[in-house]
Structure formats: structure tokens, C-alpha cells
């Protein structure tokens, strides 16, 4: 059965000088009966570009094995296109807002609110929406699924099929609810965040595990019948239901943080995570240690830090 | 006057940033006034600086009422003001989206947490704030509808309008919203411009705060009579939006009274100068807000007309 490919504009706003800010969608679908619809979005923050490669790999696999697609896959790789172009997290118009805090948007609001509204309307009703985010240049993240407290009971069983290293239930806070996935969840559409490492020097090592997870999930949904990675044993993936399942490690002094690069490993209480240095004094001002044992799933990279800067997040649970 | 360091953010590359509070009087924590929370809120900083200078004289003359005290925090983001960035540059975050804050969180959450711990102890709260869009407002008092808002008290500032706004989800992490929920009668004052000093609007805002402090029995000083305030809501505001993108040439300015159908601005093709659109007001009223950036995109809200 042939796969149909259709690129369409979901929303568009005219910019002052000869340019449109368009949010485009590429739809892969099959004729006849569909087993479901999956939306994959990325690029809501302009400084997160790893999602481009993941969406590209998903599209490539669908095009290589069209006979295995039995549903609709909608790809939205460039939500904040202007931000992505200039490498800026916020939407680089005069208002400089975080697009992921403007949902659900408004049809009669500002240009940004109008775009957010149109995107949300286009995704509503899908069987699942994945919003791919990547760590910033100054943190490293283990591949994880983040979902919302509001529908965590329903969502967690299906999250394992994405083959993440960790699952994190985000608390029901106002900021989270104004995100794309938060607003979709409030509207009754299932939505998850895929958190991926922004590791530009070894791109394929990051993207392959995420792409494998996406196809594994598609198989579970019934919209993909090709070979995929086997779904992991649920007991192997730690699931952080509450904030108490997470240990946040912060630093006490300003300086330059030099990490030991331990992300993804279990550390024991007292293990050294990294050092804060002061170049002017030629001195190490702080040795940051793990306050307790756990799996590191967020790690600060080599960068300037302030007192209170997040150095690492440790998962206190070894198992689901 | 007592100078307190409310919170210190140590820095590696630069000097430490002290958030300074200026206290006047003793006793009940009566009123706190906060200036800049964003690096471009110059007008807000300026109004606070003048308020500190004014209260210093009032205190010297014995004008702070016994058992009452006032706290003024001119800025919580001096480091970004010096660097010319609107947000807290090291984390690229907006402090006014981090309330009530978290003393164990990131730097911006700590700043918000330390400020909030001080501010929530006050009976009345005044935040000098800016709008997320570049532009100018008719000076007014604003508060969010939390169920605890008190617009009648807001009329004591003597500004022409008291605007009660329905909060959006993202507003729930702002100071005004959290302040109200913590039990403070919190008001936001829009003092005209943001990135530059507007002397007339600064004078008007300063007089409004002085009027409120006198009205609440916190200080006794010379004051000028205020205006009778009108309480307005979202339903009284009509937005005029551009259908086209281009250069914006305004004909009218904030505060102007306009009649239905009157021209407000032109959207001009930025390359050939042709007029793409003429913006007109759909209702008779007063221009409550004007966007003052040089460009507009399609669907930009350019004016807010108050029809009440």
C-alpha cells in the first residue's frame, strides 16, 4: 500500500519584511483504514536542534519501509522556526516570549498566540503527541519521557514502550500547564515530552535510541508493523512519580563547573560529581559530591555557575 | 532610612549582586514597593529611586506614622540592567515567572523566593511593572482577578483607571498573582514607558503612590488630589489588530480620545512605502495602550481602546 506524503502549513504569520513565519506539518499516511494518529513536534525552543535529526530519521525510516505504516504520522519539526534559525530559545520577535508558555494560545490574540492556538487545534484528537525537547548547551540529559501528573495513571503504562532510560511525572504547576503537552493534556489529548541530550558531536549516538523508542511505541499503537527494538522490561526503567523520587544537587559557590561526566551512571553517597574552579585565584572553590546514592539523569556541563545552580538530578529509585 | 541587603547573588565573572531594600519607619509592615524585575524596566527603577528620595525627606520631617513601615526595593535585577538584557541573562529566565520562588531552586527561583519571603509580610504591595509588548499605557492600577482582589482600595491611588484582569494560566507564577494569594493587597502600577524615562508618567506614578500611602495612614506628607478612578475589566477593552505586517506609523498616541472610525495608524510596506493598511478604531473611546515598536507582524495587537 503506498504511503502518502503531504506537506501543509498549519499556521502562518507575515513578518514585516518579505517573510512568513510558517509552522509546517509533514504528514505520512496510508490509504484506507488507519490504526491511529501520532504527532511528533520539535523545535519549540530555538536552541534545541537535536529534534531535527530525530524527525529526519523517523521520516527516512517511514520512506524506506512504507509497507509497515498503518496510520498517520504528522511531523512538526520547526515550531519556532525563527528561533531555530538564530539559535535562540525564545521567539525572537519584539516580545521575546517562551513559546512553550503560551499554550493553548488564542485565535484572536497576538501572532504568537494565534500560532500556538492553530498548532494545538491541529494536534488535538491525535492518539498521541510527542514533543521532543533537548537539553541546553549547558546540561546533559539522559533520554527520558516526561508526562503530566494530570493523566499520569493512564500514560505511564504506555510510556515504557518508548524505551526511555527514565520516566518523570511533571507536577501539575501553572508553567507546565501552559506548555504544548500540558495544554494538550488539559484538552484531553495524550501528550508526552521526550527529553533528549543535545550532543552535537556524536549526534547518531543520541538519536538512534530515541528513534528506536518512537518506532517501538508506534508498533504498540498498531501503526507500525516493521521490525523494532523489543519493548523493555518495565522493571528496568525507573519511574519518578513524585518530587521526592528526585534528588536535586546544587552548588554553593560561583565559578566554572568542571563535571566528571557521569550522566547515566549510579553514584554512591559521597562520590565526587565535579569541581568548581576559580581561574583568577587558581583555586578549586568547591567539590560537589552526591548527597545520596542514585542514578544521574541530568548533569551540568562545563559552564559558569551561581550558588544554587542545578548540578545534577539523581533518581532515587533504581526500579519502577 | 535603613538599608538592608535582601539577597545576594555571588558572581564568578562580576561583582556580587546585592538586592537592596530601603526601609522607612518601624512597626507594622505596612506597604512594600517593588521596582524592576526585568533588566529593561528603567522607568520602574527611576520611580522607585525618586520614591526613596521622597520618603527619606518625609522620615526626616517625622512624616512616617508611628507603628508603620514602608519597604522600597528599586531593582532585583541590577546585574542584567548593567548588561542591557531584559531577562536574567545567566539562565535566560524571567524572574516575574518564577514566583513564589524556591530557595533550593535555580538562581532566579532563589531571587523570587527571597523577595517573596520579604514582600508577603506586608499588608499592601505595589509593583511597578511593564507589559510584555513594547509600548505605552495610560498610567493605571492593575490587579489580577484571584478572588482576593480589592479594586475599591486600588482607587485610592487616584489614577484614572483600576483594571481588574482575568489571569491566564501563565500569569499564575507572577508576583501580583502570588502576592494576592499570600494575603497582601497587591497592585501593579503601569508607569508609562519602560526602557526610557518618561518624566510626566513618572511624576504621575510617584504622586499616586504617595497618595495611597497617605490614604492608608502610613505616611503624612504633602500630596496632590487624585482623580476619581473607574474600575474596568477585560470586557471594556477592545483590541485593534493589524491584518498586515510592515512598518507602523502611528497617528494617535496613548491617552488620546478617539471617535469610532477615526484613523489610528498606518501599516506601510517597508520597501516601497505604500500603505498596506489603515488602522481605525471600531469604537469611540480612549487609547489605553499603543504598541510603539517600529514593526508589526500580521495579527499584532497595536492598540487597546477603552470603550467604557
Amino acid at each position: 500500500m503506498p504511503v502518502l506524503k503531504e506537506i501543509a502549513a498549519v499556521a502562518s504569520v507575515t513578518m514585516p519584511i518579505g517573510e512568513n513565519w510558517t509552522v509546517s506539518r509533514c504528514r505520512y499516511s496510508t490509504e484506507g483504514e488507519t490504526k491511529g494518529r501520532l504527532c511528533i513536534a520539535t523545535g519549540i525552543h530555538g536552541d534545541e536542534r537535536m529534534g531535527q535529526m530525530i524527525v529526519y530519521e523517523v521520516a527516512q525510516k517511514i520512506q524506506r519501509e512504507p509497507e509497515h505504516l498503518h496510520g498517520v504520522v504528522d511531523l512538526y519539526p520547526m515550531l519556532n522556526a525563527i528561533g531555530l534559525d538564530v539559535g535562540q530559545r525564545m521567539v525572537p520577535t519584539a516580545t521575546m516570549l517562551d513559546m512553550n508558555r503560551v499554550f493553548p494560545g488564542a485565535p484572536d490574540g497576538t501572532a504568537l498566540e494565534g500560532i500556538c492556538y492553530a498548532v494545538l487545534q491541529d494536534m488535538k484528537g491525535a492518539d498521541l503527541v510527542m514533543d521532543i525537547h533537548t537539553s541546553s548547551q549547558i546540561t546533559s540529559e539522559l533520554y527520558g519521557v516526561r508526562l503530566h501528573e494530570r493523566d499520569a495513571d493512564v500514560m505511564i503504562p504506555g510510556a515504557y514502550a518508548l524505551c526511555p532510560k527514565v520516566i518523570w511525572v511533571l507536577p501539575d504547576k501553572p508553567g507546565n500547564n501552559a506548555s504544548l503537552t500540558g495544554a494538550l493534556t488539559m484538552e484531553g489529548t495524550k501528550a508526552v515530552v521526550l527529553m533528549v541530550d543535545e550532543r552535537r558531536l556524536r549526534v547518531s549516538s543520541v538519536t538512534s535510541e530515541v528513534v528506536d523508542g518512537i518506532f517501538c511505541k508506534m508498533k504498540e499503537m498498531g501503526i507500525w508493523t516493521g521490525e523494532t527494538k523489543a519493548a523493555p522490561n518495565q522493571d528496568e526503567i525507573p519511574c519518578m512519580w513524585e518530587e521526592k523520587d528526585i534528588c536535586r544537587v546544587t552548588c554553593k559557590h560561583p565559578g566554572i563547573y568542571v563535571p566528571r561526566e557521569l550522566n547515566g551512571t549510579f553514584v554512591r553517597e559521597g562520590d565526587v560529581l565535579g569541581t568548581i574552579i576559580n581561574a583568577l585565584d587558581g583555586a578549586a572553590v568547591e567539590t560537589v559530591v552526591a548527597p545520596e546514592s542514585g542514578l544521574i539523569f541530568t548533569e551540568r556541563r562545563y559552564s559558569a555557575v551561581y550558588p544554587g545552580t542545578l548540578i545534577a538530578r539523581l533518581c532515587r529509585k533504581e526500579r519502577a | 532610612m535603613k538599608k538592608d541587603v535582601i539577597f545576594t547573588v555571588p558572581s564568578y565573572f562580576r561583582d556580587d549582586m546585592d538586592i537592596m531594600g530601603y526601609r522607612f519607619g518601624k512597626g507594622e509592615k505596612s506597604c512594600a514597593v517593588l521596582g524592576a524585575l526585568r533588566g529593561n524596566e528603567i522607568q520602574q527603577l527611576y520611580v522607585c529611586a525618586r520614591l526613596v528620595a521622597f520618603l527619606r525627606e518625609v522620615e526626616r520631617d517625622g512624616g512616617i506614622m508611628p507603628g508603620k513601615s514602608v519597604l522600597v526595593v528599586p531593582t532585583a535585577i541590577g546585574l542584567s540592567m548593567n548588561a542591557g538584557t531584559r531577562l536574567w541573562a545567566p539562565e535566560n529566565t524571567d524572574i516575574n515567572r518564577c514566583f513564589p520562588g524556591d530557595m533550593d531552586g535555580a538562581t532566579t527561583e532563589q531571587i523570587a523566593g527571597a523577595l517573596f519571603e520579604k514582600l508577603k509580610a506586608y499588608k499592601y504591595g505595589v509593583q511597578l511593572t511593564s507589559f510584555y509588548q513594547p509600548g505605552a499605557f495610560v498610567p493605571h492600577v492593575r490587579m489580577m482577578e484571584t478572588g482576593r482582589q480589592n479594586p475599591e482600595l486600588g482607587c485610592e491611588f487616584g489614577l484614572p483607571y483600576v483594571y481588574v484582569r482575568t489571569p491566564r494560566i501563565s500569569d499564575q507564577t507572577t508576583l501580583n498573582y502570588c502576592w494576592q494569594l499570600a494575603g497582601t493587597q497587591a497592585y501593579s502600577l503601569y508607569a508609562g514607558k519602560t526602557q526610557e524615562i518618561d518624566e510626566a508618567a513618572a511624576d504621575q506614578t510617584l504622586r499616586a503612590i504617595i497618595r495611597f500611602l497617605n490614604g492608608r495612614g502610613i505616611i503624612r506628607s504633602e500630596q496632590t488630589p487624585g482623580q476619581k478612578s473607574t474600575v474596568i475589566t477585560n470586557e471594556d477593552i477592545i483590541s485593534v489588530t493589524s491584518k498586515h505586517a510592515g512598518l507602523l506609523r502611528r497617528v494617535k498616541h496613548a491617552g488620546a480620545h478617539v471617535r469610532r472610525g477615526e484613523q489610528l495608524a498606518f501599516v506601510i510596506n517597508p520597501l516601497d512605502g505604500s500603505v498596506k493598511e489603515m488602522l481605525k478604531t471600531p469604537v469611540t473611546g480612549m487609547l489605553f495602550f499603543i504598541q510603539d515598536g517600529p514593526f508589526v507582524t500580521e495579527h499584532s495587537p497595536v492598540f487597546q481602546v477603552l470603550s467604557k
Side-chain angles (χ1 to χ4, degrees), chain A residues 9-66:
Chain A
V10 171
S12 185
V13 167
T14 308
M15 302 301 288
I17 304 172
E19 181 188 7
N20 287 324
W21 169 17
T22 303
V23 174
S24 298
R25 179 195 68 205
C26 181
R27 169 169 289 179
Y28 291 92
S29 61
T30 45
E31 289 178 335
E33 187 189 4
T34 176
K35 299 284 188 184
R37 178 182 171 218
L38 170 68
C39 298
I40 304 176
T42 194
I44 208 165
H45 291 138
D47 58 346
E48 300 175 3
R49 289 172 170 164
M50 288 294 282
Q52 303 302 306
M53 186 68 179
I54 293 166
V55 169
Y56 165 78
E57 293 283 5
V58 169
Q60 283 277 302
K61 191 169 170 74
I62 292 172
Q63 291 176 69
R64 277 197 310 270
E65 304 172 42

Side-chain angles (χ1 to χ4, degrees), chain A:
Chain A
M1 191 178 291
V3 166
L4 306 175
K5 178 182 175 183
E6 176 197 11
I7 295 178
V10 171
S12 185
V13 167
T14 308
M15 302 301 288
I17 304 172
E19 181 188 7
N20 287 324
W21 169 17
T22 303
V23 174
S24 298
R25 179 195 68 205
C26 181
R27 169 169 289 179
Y28 291 92
S29 61
T30 45
E31 289 178 335
E33 187 189 4
T34 176
K35 299 284 188 184
R37 178 182 171 218
L38 170 68
C39 298
I40 304 176
T42 194
I44 208 165
H45 291 138
D47 58 346
E48 300 175 3
R49 289 172 170 164
M50 288 294 282
Q52 303 302 306
M53 186 68 179
I54 293 166
V55 169
Y56 165 78
E57 293 283 5
V58 169
Q60 283 277 302
K61 191 169 170 74
I62 292 172
Q63 291 176 69
R64 277 197 310 270
E65 304 172 42
E67 69 278 12
H68 292 133
L69 184 68
H70 299 280
V72 178
V73 177
D74 283 335
L75 306 175
Y76 308 74
M78 302 165 193
L79 292 183
N80 175 8
I82 303 173
L84 284 161
D85 184 52
V86 299
Q88 189 169 289
R89 183 176 181 82
M90 307 296 185
V91 178
T93 56
T95 53
M96 288 290 287
L97 291 177
D98 181 346
M99 190 174 182
N100 211 28
R101 290 291 178 273
V102 182
F103 288 94
D108 52 356
T110 62
L112 178 57
E113 288 169 337
I115 287 218
C116 288
Y117 179 80
V119 167
L120 194 86
Q121 297 307 309
D122 200 64
M123 293 178 175
K124 254 168 68 174
D127 295 285
L128 181 64
V129 176
M130 300 175 186
D131 184 17
I132 301 170
H133 283 258
T134 66
S135 59
S136 64
Q137 301 259 26
I138 52 175
T139 58
S140 165
E141 293 280 353
L142 210 55
Y143 168 43
V145 173
R146 297 181 183 180
L147 34 86
H148 295 269
E149 189 179 4
R150 184 177 296 267
D151 62 353
D153 288 344
V154 178
M155 294 295 294
I156 284 177
Y160 292 102
L162 282 157
C163 313
K165 298 282 177 34
V166 289
I167 296 172
W168 181 5
V169 179
L170 299 171
D172 194 15
K173 291 199 294 192
N176 293 339
N177 292 340
S179 66
L180 171 61
T181 54
L184 281 164
T185 301
M186 290 180 77
E187 298 264 6
T189 297
K190 292 179 178 174
V192 295
V193 170
L194 304 189
M195 181 53 76
V196 181
D197 200 27
E198 181 87 11
R199 199 186 307 158
R200 297 181 184 177
L201 293 180
R202 285 179 289 151
V203 173
S204 60
S205 66
V206 175
T207 57
S208 61
E209 65 177 352
V210 184
V211 173
D212 285 350
I214 289 172
F215 277 95
C216 188
K217 180 66 188 173
M218 285 167 60
K219 193 164 191 173
E220 188 209 58
M221 292 171 69
I223 61 177
W224 186 255
T225 53
E227 285 296 310
T228 64
K229 185 177 173 180
N233 185 341
Q234 294 190 6
D235 292 342
E236 294 170 1
I237 302 171
C239 177
M240 296 167 283
W241 279 85
E242 300 172 86
E243 287 298 299
K244 69 178 175 60
D245 296 331
I246 298 165
C247 170
R248 293 167 52 95
V249 184
T250 57
C251 62
K252 294 181 177 62
H253 296 85
I256 295 292
Y257 181 64
V258 185
R260 282 188 61 206
E261 298 184 9
L262 297 170
N263 202 12
T265 63
F266 278 94
V267 291
R268 299 284 167 203
E269 180 182 344
D271 283 353
V272 174
L273 303 180
T275 309
I276 297 173
I277 60 165
N278 183 315
L280 190 63
D281 280 352
V285 294
E286 184 178 346
T287 301
V288 182
V289 299
E292 52 191 274
S293 301
L295 168 70
I296 300 181
F297 69 98
T298 301
E299 185 183 36
R300 184 87 182 183
R301 289 200 171 111
Y302 175 86
S303 56
V305 292
Y306 285 78
T309 294
L310 182 74
I311 297 297
R313 290 193 190 100
L314 308 183
C315 174
R316 291 183 166 124
K317 298 173 79 176
E318 293 190 19
R319 294 280 182 265

